Amino acid sequence: MPGLSLVADNTRCSPEPERTSLHEVLDFVLEGARSAPPPLDEAALPLRAETEALPLLCDLAEAAAELASGRRARAVVRLCLEPDAWELGLERVGRDLLVTVFRGGDVPEIALHERRFEGAALSARILAALDRLASRRGAGARQGALAGNDAEHGGLGEHRLPAARRCLAAALPFSPDEPAGEPAIVGVEPTSEIPIAIAAEALLRTSPGAALAQPAVLRADLFSLLFRGKIRVLVGEEARELPDVFIFPFAEQLASLSLESLDAWARRQPYHRRLTVGGAILGVRLHSEGALSLTLGVPRAGRGASADPRALGPGRAFAAAEERAQTWTFPAVDVAALAQGVVAFGRALARSLVRRDRGQASNLRLFEFRARVRALSERLRELTRNDAKINVAPETYRAFAAAARPQAAAEDTFGRTRLRFTARWVAAIPSLDLRATFLCGDVLVVGSTRELTCIDRRTGECLWRTQAPRAVSVMTPVGLGRLLPDGTLQLHELATGEVAWSARLSPRVGANASGAVVSAPGLPRMLIVSEGTRHLAAVDLYSGEVRWRYAARRGENFRLRRAGKLVVVGSGEPALVALDVLSGEVVWRFCDRLPFASAVAVDHDALFAVAGDGAFVGRGGARLHHLDPWSGEARWTVDLPRHVAPVGAPLLGPETVCVVTHGRRGTGLVGLDRKTGATRFELTACAATASCLMVDDVVVVNSEAGEIVGVGAHDGAIRYRHVLAGGVEGDRPRRLEPVLRSGALFVPQNEVHVVRPRDGALLGKVPTDLIPDLLRVDERCDVYVAEESGHLAAFAAAPRLSLVQ
């Protein structure tokens, strides 16, 4: 088969960009900007054609007209949109105009700053450029009319160009009534004694626009925040000064670097960043041991061709910049002291700007800076707060827990023989809510989008049905508690479904509702539920009365665990709190740098809690604490591996405590000695997400990939592994938690498998076609399977054979 050849005519070259009348104005305005660091690249400006120059020249004329008439003190014109958003700012000072060329973003760049022009001269050049552009467009329109394409030259230029010229001509000459408005030196200093003092002397100008009414619209205005000055940093007896920098961009990056280094310090991670902003060099290096070094400097512009870093290439340009720079390093700086100094400097700077110009209160750029400083202050206060509390009288709580501890149950024979199941009934419930489905006594309570249904667990008969909207549901000993989105808490009786009582709580917006049920001998029956943004409310289950409220410093996601007469609360703050169930008082408080965002595990006289954010793999910094649950006193603390993220509460065995982790390789386990905290083993159990359960001295891992793995909690040895027949991804159950009942472990996969946990022997399988998105097992080992599609099925355990001696 003959090949095909593509022949292209490449003799026609693209013409050089035609210079327009706007180029002459920009050459006059930007003279000197292309040689000042950073150089302004003219090729970035969209002035290749006359149609692109027209809107920019009209914007410039309208901005000059507003300044000449006195309606505004500052105006900003966008020079280009792609690839870099350069902007040209005009500020009126008497009869003169100050021109600044800059580029916004996180790290702003300033190519030209406050170059002074006579307002009449600059306006005359703009008018001349408008006239030349109008004449050229008129000639082009006549030629287009002869060619039959005059519509291409109409539109925007036909109406806007003469209107912009008339607007500028009518506003001239510049009014002589405006004051000169020369800049004055304003001191920015902290108001209190701090270890690291950061101060500045800023050249601020009181413009006529400061006396105008404050605008009703908030908008970002970086141009009004570009002012020069000198910054002085005092660390102990050492002082360094940056003589000529743009103070506000420097302060923005200083606050960001301080916040990031503070987070890294809390996680015991290294951190290093170095950048040039506002004409100064700023660098922070934090070692994993906690030592921080602060680098400040002034870049020195070179001369000749080597002054342009793009002419040298990336590597040589960086080396040349380092050689030209003059830097100073404070080698040993306390991280908290640096954050405290940055907070004091940021607040003083924002206060000085608002006092000098009331219009800055509507500046979104300044608003975001103040929010960043506020976040830094709150984070510093959380990490340095030392309000830990030890319970000096723990004996009453220890004795109550020992008296209420259940006796060890006798060994059952369900896990010794094979189990067979027969189908009993199937029910269809549209829009079934898995989180509102409960097995309680002889009934199943099933929630859906619009109603509640009560089903007899033996026959599948519907006992009652009542209208009820979707809500957060929890089963209590006296009925079904439901928390509506508007904060209404209702208790439904299990016998009839009627509402026994209703209480009004504050709605919880933007976070998940959580709580705990208190029902033990010697304690009142209560429901402790999250309320509002950061409160916990204890509601009496008989009357609906609120017994007490607790206000946490942060209520992002409450994790509650009852231990005797105590309820241990983790709310995402770097403190773990134990409250008295009867009064809600704080019995003890344990503090750490990292937040407590996971549930804790309590076993007899031991409490294990993970501190750290386990949401991201590789972030590291998590720690495991072993505490006395009655006094809050720490017994030992160990750092978990940095390459994994802890998931859920620790699993407690007879001699070890296992932390479930999620890493790049999948779900893993880290086993530690309960007495000393020494690491016994670390392994990857499976390559997918899994749910883990501790049964005696075996950790059973149920993977969504169809694997059941048994890991010895003592040494981490793999005792058994079953690879079950897996279906497609849509056939995986929503919840993978195994259910232990009478010595047998019911494991949900695409089918329900029954496993003996100590050796992994397969005891049986539930014959269901439903995906076990929700699995419930009663005391007789009868199985109830709910599928998210809206089907609920019950299976009865057949009679078992037993060996008679």
Side-chain angles (χ1 to χ4, degrees):
M1 180 178 179
L4 299 179
S5 299
L6 178 64
V7 180
D9 184 10
N10 58 357
T11 58
R12 300 173 58 186
C13 301
S14 59
E16 291 295 328
E18 182 182 2
R19 292 184 62 84
T20 66
S21 56
L22 181 60
H23 280 89
E24 300 177 2
V25 178
L26 294 180
D27 289 339
F28 174 71
V29 171
L30 304 178
E31 183 181 353
R34 298 179 180 87
S35 60
L40 180 63
D41 187 7
E42 184 181 355
L45 301 180
L47 306 177
R48 303 268 194 270
E50 184 177 311
T51 56
E52 296 178 355
L54 170 63
L56 182 56
L57 190 56
C58 292
D59 291 341
L60 193 60
E62 293 170 357
E66 290 186 351
L67 296 176
S69 61
R71 294 193 299 269
R72 298 174 60 184
R74 300 185 188 96
V76 177
V77 177
R78 296 183 70 88
L79 289 179
C80 58
L81 298 177
E82 295 178 358
D84 299 321
W86 286 95
E87 296 177 279
L88 186 144
L90 299 173
E91 183 175 3
R92 178 176 175 178
V93 178
R95 296 187 179 183
D96 297 337
L97 292 179
L98 301 181
V99 178
T100 300
V101 179
F102 62 95
R103 179 172 59 184
D106 192 23
V107 182
E109 296 184 25
I110 300 93
L112 184 68
H113 183 250
E114 292 189 353
R115 184 179 180 187
R116 187 181 293 267
F117 293 91
E118 186 178 349
L122 182 59
S123 300
R125 285 183 174 267
I126 296 176
L127 288 174
L130 288 173
D131 293 337
R132 288 193 297 272
L133 186 60
S135 62
R136 294 185 58 179
R137 290 185 62 85
R142 289 191 296 271
Q143 294 178 2
L146 295 176
N149 57 353
D150 54 339
E152 183 180 354
H153 292 272
L156 178 65
E158 181 180 355
H159 302 284
R160 190 178 178 189
L161 194 149
R165 195 203 185 286
R166 289 193 302 269
C167 181
L168 179 56
L172 295 177
F174 275 65
S175 172
D177 300 331
E178 296 292 338
E182 294 301 326
I185 298 178
V186 177
V188 180
E189 297 183 358
T191 57
S192 60
E193 295 293 334
I194 50 180
I196 298 180
I198 305 176
E201 293 182 359
L203 291 173
L204 295 179
R205 179 180 290 106
T206 303
S207 62
L212 299 178
Q214 182 175 339
V217 179
L218 301 179
R219 62 185 182 88
D221 185 11
L222 176 62
F223 174 47
S224 63
L225 299 173
L226 297 179
F227 51 87
R228 293 180 181 272
K230 61 180 180 180
I231 296 177
R232 183 174 62 258
V233 180
L234 178 63
V235 181
E237 297 181 354
E238 297 291 332
R240 291 292 182 265
E241 187 175 282
L242 302 175
D244 187 18
V245 298
F246 292 96
I247 294 179
F248 186 78
F250 181 86
E252 282 184 316
Q253 293 303 314
L254 183 61
S256 298
L257 266 63
S258 300
L259 184 58
E260 294 172 2
S261 61
L262 196 64
D263 288 337
W265 175 67
R267 302 177 186 279
R268 298 183 181 180
Q269 279 188 312
Y271 175 78
H272 180 213
R273 190 178 178 189
R274 184 185 178 107
L275 72 162
T276 301
V277 56
I281 296 175
L282 175 61
V284 171
R285 181 185 291 273
L286 177 67
H287 302 280
S288 57
E289 296 81 8
L292 182 140
S293 60
L294 175 65
T295 300
L296 302 174
V298 178
R300 294 181 177 178
R303 293 179 295 272
S306 61
D308 188 359
R310 291 171 297 179
L312 301 177
R316 293 180 58 192
F318 181 78
E322 290 293 323
E323 293 177 359
R324 294 194 300 267
Q326 180 182 1
T327 59
W328 310 275
T329 300
F330 298 98
V333 176
D334 184 71
V335 181
L338 175 62
Q340 186 179 359
V342 173
V343 168
F345 174 67
R347 289 175 175 173
L349 178 60
R351 187 166 52 247
S352 299
L353 291 176
V354 175
R355 286 178 179 176
R356 195 75 177 179
D357 185 358
R358 293 296 179 183
Q360 294 292 354
S362 303
N363 194 336
L364 282 179
R365 188 91 182 199
L366 182 61
F367 181 82
E368 293 178 358
F369 172 71
R370 298 173 78 170
R372 193 175 308 170
V373 171
R374 192 181 308 111
L376 177 61
S377 176
E378 293 176 356
R379 184 64 170 149
L380 176 64
R381 184 166 56 252
E382 286 182 353
L383 296 178
T384 57
R385 181 187 288 117
N386 188 15
D387 58 349
K389 179 181 178 181
I390 300 295
N391 182 19
V392 296
E395 296 304 326
T396 57
Y397 296 97
R398 182 178 287 112
F400 181 88
R405 191 172 300 154
Q407 300 295 326
E411 184 181 0
D412 202 294
T413 59
F414 283 6
R416 297 182 179 181
T417 61
R418 292 190 59 84
L419 298 177
R420 295 175 296 112
F421 299 90
T422 58
R424 178 174 288 176
W425 52 261
V426 178
I429 301 176
S431 303
L432 184 144
D433 186 2
L434 297 176
R435 295 173 296 180
T437 301
F438 303 95
L439 174 62
C440 185
D442 294 333
V443 297
L444 279 164
V445 179
V446 183
S448 61
T449 303
R450 298 183 179 90
E451 60 185 12
L452 286 175
T453 305
C454 183
I455 301 175
D456 188 287
R457 71 173 187 175
R458 296 184 179 86
T459 63
E461 179 185 358
C462 179
L463 301 180
W464 52 261
R465 181 181 287 113
T466 181
Q467 297 293 323
R470 185 184 292 268
V472 178
S473 303
V474 58
M475 185 58 67
T476 70
V478 297
L480 178 65
R482 305 180 73 252
L483 182 62
L484 302 180
D486 61 353
T488 302
L489 179 63
Q490 296 177 343
L491 185 73
H492 291 260
E493 296 179 350
L494 293 183
T496 60
E498 297 181 355
V499 177
W501 53 260
S502 178
R504 184 68 178 179
L505 302 178
S506 299
R508 185 165 173 83
V509 181
N512 295 328
S514 57
V517 178
V518 178
S519 177
L523 294 178
R525 290 184 171 180
M526 295 187 301
L527 175 62
I528 303 176
V529 63
S530 56
E531 179 187 15
T533 56
R534 59 185 186 90
H535 286 81
L536 285 176
V539 184
D540 188 274
L541 287 177
Y542 290 104
S543 63
E545 178 186 3
V546 177
R547 289 180 172 265
W548 52 261
R549 277 188 174 91
Y550 166 74
R553 298 190 185 100
R554 184 186 300 177
E556 296 177 354
N557 199 356
F558 284 104
R559 293 286 187 265
L560 307 182
R561 177 69 163 84
R562 193 181 66 84
K565 287 173 58 178
L566 297 177
V567 56
V568 183
V569 181
S571 59
E573 61 177 321
L576 197 65
V577 181
L579 306 178
D580 190 290
V581 171
L582 299 177
S583 62
E585 296 180 355
V586 177
V587 177
W588 56 259
R589 179 184 291 108
F590 179 79
C591 298
D592 190 270
R593 292 181 185 175
L594 298 176
F596 289 90
S598 302
V600 303
V602 180
D603 182 21
H604 299 291
D605 286 342
L607 184 148
F608 297 89
V610 176
D613 185 6
F616 298 98
V617 177
R619 174 172 286 186
R623 289 191 285 272
L624 178 65
H625 299 279
H626 180 200
L627 308 178
D628 186 324
W630 321 120
S631 65
E633 185 177 0
R635 293 172 178 169
W636 51 257
T637 298
V638 295
D639 292 332
L640 297 177
R642 298 182 180 276
H643 59 277
V644 297
V647 179
L651 305 177
L652 305 184
E655 299 180 0
T656 57
V657 51
C658 296
V659 179
V660 183
T661 64
H662 182 68
R664 295 179 177 87
R665 296 183 178 180
T667 300
L669 294 172
V670 178
L672 303 100
D673 190 274
R674 286 188 59 161
K675 295 182 179 180
T676 63
T679 301
R680 289 195 174 188
F681 61 88
E682 180 183 351
L683 58 91
T684 300
C686 58
T689 303
S691 178
C692 302
L693 178 68
M694 177 77 75
V695 182
D696 296 330
D697 61 343
V698 179
V699 180
V700 181
V701 182
N702 184 29
S703 168
E704 68 174 7
E707 288 182 298
I708 303 176
V709 185
V711 181
H714 178 72
D715 53 1
I718 303 296
R719 296 192 179 182
Y720 55 86
R721 183 188 296 270
H722 295 294
V723 180
L724 305 176
V728 297
E729 184 176 357
D731 291 342
R732 298 171 181 171
R734 298 296 183 188
R735 304 176 63 176
L736 298 170
E737 293 86 354
V739 178
L740 180 65
R741 186 69 66 193
S742 302
L745 192 66
F746 294 78
V747 182
Q749 284 290 334
N750 59 338
E751 297 176 312
V752 179
H753 299 267
V754 187
V755 179
R756 187 161 54 210
R758 64 174 181 268
D759 56 4
L762 296 177
L763 302 179
K765 184 171 63 174
V766 179
T768 176
D769 294 332
L770 302 179
I771 303 299
D773 293 323
L774 180 69
L775 177 64
R776 293 288 183 264
V777 183
D778 63 14
E779 70 281 358
R780 295 190 297 269
C781 285
D782 292 346
V783 178
Y784 305 89
V785 176
E787 190 179 68
E788 197 175 32
S789 61
H791 293 83
L792 183 64
F795 299 86
R800 296 168 297 278
L801 299 178
S802 59
L803 179 64
V804 179
Q805 299 292 343

